[in-house]
Amino acid sequence: MTRVFLIGDPIARSLSPAMHNAAFQNLGLDVRYELLETPPHKLREAIARVRADDCLGANVTIPHKESVIQYLDDVDAWARTIGSVNTLFKRDGKLIGASTDGEGFLHALRDARVEVQNARVVILGAGGAARAVAFALARAKVASIAILNRTPARAQLLADLVRAHSPIDITANDERAIEHATLIVNTTPAGALPPGTNFPREAIVFDLVYHHTDFLRAAERAGARAIDGLGMLVYQGAASFKMWTGHDAPVSIMWQAVQ
Ligand code: NAP
């Protein structure tokens, strides 16, 4: 039997094991997806575990998507640009990092029939997932992006990075952008608008957390349309699955497993 690990902290409530194990089973693959709860000081050790021959690769989540890069042999071009990795796979004896979060995010929006071109976007958070979301939206030609984060310097860093790769109108820590936003994306584990701001009634509000959060309920109360992170989970997972196994993922089985 071979394994795929989820490396992160906290991860006990993750739906990824149920989703991927259903997919492995459906294709008759002798692979198990297991949690490897990893606080920051154990990250190097966790990567050594992934390098063992019985392991096909891993997913990487909060809080390691950026810091994991230093322990890898290589990262693909997209992950190098965005500075974030959520998938580890092996090629020719090397451990490679990639990011499927942006692809999963855009696919989930397409499924929900949300048109992002020309959207005025606010992103809450500036961590690994925010990087993937910001670059994916810039590539999808949104009109503008405003990044707000608990640690303002990280929002500034991400805005500068996106600006270096794209002509998009991008700002950091400007809360006034919320008022005119057409798409608000929460990429933090604890979604909240800054005090004194409100959801615009016409906005679409997407929470990467994959259940119906208080943040989404508050958006709905304000008249906005709310979308949770379940679809993104499935589609980013399907792209990772292909990297580990070479097989197209059984997406409908994965949907069933997470629902
Ligand atoms: P990360 O790299 O550690 O970044 C976390 C971000 O959230 C940072 O901007 C951090 O702000 C902010 N944050 C953390 N705790 C906060 C709090 N209590 N209040 C306000 N801000 C807070 O983590 P990540 O890998 O990007 O993951 C972020 C979230 O997205 C997680 O909940 C994860 O499960 C979810 N996610 C879901 C999917 C999906 O498929 N649905 C995919 C990827 C991620 P600071 O910079 O100030 O620390």
Side-chain angles (χ1 to χ4, degrees):
M1 185 180 66
T2 52
R3 292 180 167 75
V4 172
F5 291 111
L6 175 61
I7 295 172
D9 184 24
I11 50 172
R13 296 174 65 187
S14 172
L15 295 178
S16 291
M19 177 175 80
H20 282 297
N21 285 326
F24 292 138
Q25 205 178 2
N26 179 259
L27 295 193
L29 300 172
D30 191 17
V31 186
R32 264 178 62 95
Y33 190 103
E34 295 179 359
L35 300 179
L36 192 56
E37 191 146 312
T38 305
H41 69 281
K42 292 257 172 95
L43 183 56
R44 182 194 295 268
E45 213 176 289
I47 298 307
R49 178 67 189 88
V50 176
R51 288 181 184 277
D53 287 342
D54 72 336
C55 181
L56 294 182
N59 276 138
V60 179
T61 188
I62 192 169
H64 305 308
K65 283 183 177 168
E66 295 159 75
S67 53
V68 73
I69 293 173
Q70 62 189 306
Y71 300 115
L72 308 179
D73 300 323
D74 206 353
V75 291
D76 73 10
W78 175 246
R80 188 185 312 283
T81 301
I82 72 173
S84 173
V85 156
N86 78 337
T87 306
L88 310 184
F89 64 97
K90 295 177 179 177
R91 286 290 177 276
D92 306 323
K94 285 187 170 168
L95 187 59
I96 318 280
S99 176
T100 65
D101 279 336
E103 176 183 343
F105 171 69
L106 289 182
H107 198 145
L109 283 175
R110 275 199 307 277
D111 252 15
R113 307 208 183 289
V114 175
E115 176 60 69
V116 292
Q117 200 174 355
N118 298 323
R120 293 185 298 277
V121 184
V122 168
I123 297 177
L124 304 174
R131 283 173 174 253
V133 164
F135 273 91
L137 287 170
R139 204 185 237 191
K141 298 194 167 36
V142 295
S144 62
I145 300 178
I147 302 172
L148 310 178
N149 192 44
R150 177 178 65 178
T151 308
R154 281 184 94 191
Q156 190 62 58
L157 197 74
L158 178 52
D160 292 345
L161 187 65
V162 175
R163 197 179 294 115
H165 287 88
S166 153
I168 194 162
D169 170 8
I170 184 157
T171 60
N173 306 306
D174 183 359
E175 296 174 3
R176 291 168 306 176
I178 293 171
E179 195 184 337
H180 302 291
T182 58
L183 174 64
I184 297 177
V185 187
N186 172 48
T187 71
T188 80
L193 288 183
T197 62
N198 298 301
F199 291 101
R201 202 145 49 95
E202 303 298 322
I204 290 164
V205 179
F206 191 112
D207 196 337
L208 264 58
V209 176
Y210 41 68
H211 55 85
H212 212 69
T213 54
D214 289 344
F215 181 73
L216 290 182
R217 274 189 278 272
E220 282 173 336
R221 279 197 300 275
R225 178 176 170 207
I227 304 173
D228 67 38
L230 208 55
M232 176 175 173
L233 177 75
V234 170
Y235 294 120
Q236 61 79 31
S240 303
F241 187 94
K242 176 114 190 187
M243 290 175 184
W244 301 321
T245 66
H247 295 286
D248 286 333
V251 172
S252 58
I253 297 291
M254 294 165 83
W255 263 115
Q256 267 173 36
V258 298
Q259 276 164 343

